[in-house]
Every structure is written in structure tokens, then in C-alpha cells.
Amino acid sequence: MKNLWIKMFAAIMLLAGNVNAQQTGKTKTTALNFIFEKGTPGPAQNFTGRAWNVGLVANDTVYNTVVGNVYFEPGARSNWHIHPAGQILMITDGKGFHQIKGQAKKMLKKGDIVECPPNVAHWHGASAETGMLQLYILPKTEKGIVTWLQKVTDEEYAKN
Amino acid sequence: MKNLWIKMFAAIMLLAGNVNAQQTGKTKTTALNFIFEKGTPGPAQNFTGRAWNVGLVANDTVYNTVVGNVYFEPGARSNWHIHPAGQILMITDGKGFHQIKGQAKKMLKKGDIVECPPNVAHWHGASAETGMLQLYILPKTEKGIVTWLQKVTDEEYAKN
């Protein structure tokens, strides 16, 4: 009977492992908790790798606020870019990075909040091993939405 | 061997059930996915039941946007209230309700987005059986944050 319970426990652990993570070559794909639709991949000229975007609140003159959700696949990141009125990020699952030009790269995880001030260049994206799910808020859209800049190089992405 | 697998499957289902839900009398408590801290209960004069609030982005003149997370326990709801610049809700887990004065009560679930326009009375809260986790955005805070009104009666809460 004791042996049976040990086997059952081992099988449960095995099953749990299969549900939560899949080992694909060197990249570990962790099942993230998608709250919103995955959306569609952002344009290749503004992203490295695939970043799936879904709009949740469209721009209007009532709220002057744009809200959306992005899923960065492992290794994927935005170009450097500027928001004229800044941006607020809420990390809902996974792991990633945020960097403001001239500052150190910061690690992000589920539950983290990022405030990026107006008119500073920044980028955000997933870690190399684990994807990242983030909600974004663009306030004061009467000032503009985004100006896209150059790609984040592999060196910039890898630098600590 | 076949019998062993059946027993293992049954045990796994039993375990999964214990992890995901607990049966407590007549109220089913489902384990919700908390992304942010639970925070502290809102003041009793503004809520029926317990609504736990944590501030995520404080008001300032850079973003003029307040962001926070509320966990409504089963049956808990806000009073009727007004936001001078409106409110955006993002339901991240669980089930609940939203009602704008003079309109029908709407059911809410994970992934739903609510836009409540400026200067209309509304309330939001959990379903009777399942709690609700929601992120809230208050834009254009230069216009004000909130005006609290009367309690949502049991009759209003129960009405379809």
C-alpha cells in the first residue's frame, strides 16, 4: 500500500510537470495564465521575436486612455520607443525585463508595476527562457501614443 | 496494472479538486489567481462585505491615473458611487457584477473589461458564490476620484 502511494505521488508530480512546463530543446516553455485573448503579433519592424497584442480599451475623448495586453514569447522584446505621456505596465505572469535609456535593465515578474515617465526612451520584453504577460496603460493620449525607435540589439538585451 | 492507473487517476482528480475548490457549507470557495497583494479591507461605510484593496499606482501630476486591485469576497460589493472622470475595470479572475444606475445588472468574469462613463452612479462586486478579482483604472484624476453614495441593498444585489 505504501508503495502504491509512492507510485501515485510520483505520477502526480510527473503529470503536474507536464501540465506546467514543456521541455523543448533548450527552451523551457512555461504555461502562463492568459487572462485576455492572445491577440495578433505586433509588426516585425517594431519588435524582435513575437509580441502578441490585444487592445482592451481603444482611444477616445472620454477616458483618453489606451489599455491592452501583450504576450512576449521567450526572447521577444519591443524596440526602443517613447510615449509622450508615459506608460504604466502591470506584469500578470511570466518573467521579463524593462529598461529606461541610460539606466540598468530591471527584471520583471508577476505582480510587478512599471512606471515609465513621459518622453524617455525605453524597451520591455520577455526573459530568454520564459515569456511575459503584461497589461499596459497609456494615459493622457491627447499628448500622443508612441514614437518607435531602433531595435534592442542582442548585446543590449543580454547586458546586465 | 489497469486498476492501478484507474486508482491513480481518481486520486489525481481528488487532489486537483482539493487544490482548486473547498466546499464550506453552502458556499463554494474557489482558489482565485492573485497576481497582486490582497491589500486591506475597504471601509465598512463604502462596502457591503469585505472588499480588499491594494493601491498599485498612486495619484500624481505625471500620469493623472490611479491604478489598484480589489478582491471582492463572495457576496461583497461596493456602494453606489460616481467617478468624475469615469472608471475602467479589468476582471482578472472570479465572477461578479457591474451595474450602471438605470441599466440592467451585468455579469462579469475573468477577461471582461468594463468602461463606466464619468458622472454616472454604478456599483461592482462579487457573485454570491464566487469572489472576484479586478484591476481598476481611474483616468484624468485632475477631475476628481470618487463620490460615495448609498449602499447596494440586498434586493438590488439579487435582482436580475
Side-chain angles (χ1 to χ4, degrees):
Chain A
M1 188 60 189
K2 191 184 170 191
N3 200 25
L4 173 63
W5 279 107
I6 291 169
K7 281 181 187 168
M8 282 172 59
F9 182 74
I12 290 161
M13 288 300 101
L14 200 68
L15 268 168
N18 279 336
V19 169
N20 288 325
Q22 291 177 324
Q23 206 74 27
T24 315
K26 284 182 180 174
T27 306
K28 189 179 166 190
T29 306
T30 304
L32 300 180
N33 175 35
F34 278 79
I35 297 167
F36 308 98
E37 285 180 33
K38 192 175 178 180
T40 52
Q45 70 264 31
N46 297 336
F47 295 92
T48 301
R50 277 196 297 192
W52 301 74
N53 177 73
V54 60
L56 300 174
V57 177
N59 192 23
D60 64 27
T61 56
V62 177
Y63 306 99
N64 286 101
T65 299
V66 166
V67 181
N69 191 70
V70 173
Y71 165 57
F72 288 101
E73 293 185 1
R77 69 264 190 183
S78 71
N79 284 18
W80 289 98
H81 59 286
I82 288 169
H83 299 289
Q87 184 178 47
I88 296 160
L89 304 176
M90 297 165 284
I91 313 305
T92 61
D93 208 357
K95 290 178 182 170
F97 302 113
H98 177 252
Q99 187 174 18
I100 290 175
K101 198 81 176 173
Q103 297 184 13
K105 190 177 76 176
K106 287 187 182 172
M107 289 188 65
L108 299 177
K109 63 182 190 308
K110 178 179 171 179
D112 283 349
I113 304 292
V114 173
E115 294 182 20
C116 180
N119 294 317
V120 301
H122 76 145
W123 68 269
H124 31 123
S127 72
E129 300 80 19
T130 306
M132 183 171 79
L133 281 164
Q134 57 148 65
L135 280 161
Y136 61 86
I137 303 172
L138 296 168
K140 298 181 174 180
T141 55
E142 70 276 11
K143 293 177 185 278
I145 302 284
V146 61
T147 302
W148 287 103
L149 305 171
Q150 73 279 12
K151 293 222 166 274
V152 172
T153 65
D154 289 346
E155 290 70 30
E156 287 174 318
Y157 179 72
K159 193 176 178 184
N160 283 315
Chain B
M1 188 60 189
K2 191 183 167 191
N3 200 25
L4 173 61
W5 280 106
I6 291 168
K7 281 182 186 167
M8 281 172 62
F9 182 73
I12 290 161
M13 289 300 100
L14 200 69
L15 267 168
N18 279 338
V19 169
N20 289 324
Q22 290 177 326
Q23 205 73 28
T24 317
K26 285 182 182 176
T27 306
K28 187 179 166 188
T29 306
T30 305
L32 301 180
N33 175 34
F34 279 78
I35 297 166
F36 308 99
E37 284 180 32
K38 192 174 178 181
T40 53
Q45 70 264 30
N46 297 335
F47 295 91
T48 301
R50 277 195 295 190
W52 300 75
N53 177 73
V54 59
L56 299 174
V57 177
N59 192 23
D60 64 27
T61 56
V62 178
Y63 306 99
N64 286 103
T65 299
V66 166
V67 181
N69 191 71
V70 173
Y71 165 56
F72 288 102
E73 293 185 2
R77 67 264 189 182
S78 72
N79 283 18
W80 290 97
H81 59 288
I82 288 169
H83 300 288
Q87 184 178 46
I88 296 160
L89 304 176
M90 297 165 285
I91 313 306
T92 62
D93 209 357
K95 290 178 183 172
F97 303 113
H98 177 252
Q99 188 174 18
I100 290 174
K101 198 82 176 174
Q103 298 184 13
K105 189 178 76 174
K106 288 185 182 172
M107 288 188 65
L108 299 178
K109 63 181 189 312
K110 177 180 171 178
D112 283 349
I113 304 292
V114 173
E115 294 182 20
C116 180
N119 294 316
V120 300
H122 77 145
W123 67 269
H124 32 123
S127 73
E129 299 81 20
T130 306
M132 183 172 78
L133 282 164
Q134 58 147 66
L135 280 161
Y136 61 86
I137 303 172
L138 297 169
K140 297 179 172 181
T141 54
E142 69 278 11
K143 293 177 185 278
I145 302 285
V146 62
T147 303
W148 287 103
L149 304 171
Q150 74 280 10
K151 292 223 167 274
V152 172
T153 65
D154 289 346
E155 291 71 27
E156 288 173 315
Y157 179 71
K159 193 175 178 185
N160 285 315

